[in-house]
Amino acid sequence: QVQLAESGGGLVQAGESLRLSCAASGSIFSIYTGAWHRQAPGKQRELVTEITRGGNTYYTDSVKGRFTISRDNAKNTMYLQMDSLKPEDTAVYYCAAGDGRGITPWKYWGQGTQVTVSS
């Protein structure tokens, strides 16, 4: 049974940084594309960024230049470095693993971690 567990969320002020981690129970990120999604109150869950097995990355426009996705296959962990945070980044952040955006539904999901950015 594959499990993903996020950590690193919290309350920060606008302009500050956070780093989220997603620990996998197995070598998931060397097999699948890893991704971070987020869901703000009253909004649909959205894809924020993904990283393929080959290291190619995708970012949604609103986070380009501020967020960086990475992974450490040896540690079975994926990261999301979030800099210059804005109040509109407030959401529950979920990590996921699968075949990639628009291909098939994401296969594995974490439970989510809350990120709150105050103005």
Side-chain angles (χ1 to χ4, degrees):
Q1 182 77 12
V2 173
Q3 292 185 329
L4 301 177
E6 304 94 338
S7 61
L11 171 63
V12 297
Q13 293 188 332
E16 294 185 338
S17 298
L18 276 176
R19 189 175 81 152
L20 305 183
S21 298
C22 175
S25 58
S27 303
I28 296 303
F29 299 123
S30 61
I31 299 171
Y32 293 109
T33 292
W36 290 95
H37 296 72
R38 67 185 179 187
Q39 187 166 20
K43 295 187 177 181
Q44 289 189 330
R45 188 176 299 188
E46 66 168 341
L47 174 65
V48 176
T49 178
E50 71 172 23
I51 184 167
T52 68
R53 289 185 300 166
N56 294 320
T57 57
Y58 160 86
Y59 296 93
T60 194
D61 286 345
S62 62
V63 308
K64 285 180 180 176
R66 299 189 299 121
F67 289 12
T68 304
I69 189 171
S70 62
R71 67 170 189 267
D72 184 335
N73 289 343
K75 295 182 178 179
N76 297 328
T77 302
M78 181 174 66
Y79 304 98
L80 180 62
Q81 177 67 40
M82 304 186 294
D83 298 320
S84 302
L85 282 161
K86 303 176 180 180
E88 51 263 45
D89 295 318
T90 295
V92 178
Y93 284 72
Y94 300 88
C95 64
D99 294 323
R101 73 188 192 279
I103 299 176
T104 58
W106 295 93
K107 296 182 185 300
Y108 306 106
W109 289 91
Q111 294 295 316
T113 186
Q114 177 70 46
V115 172
T116 303
V117 184
S118 64
S119 58

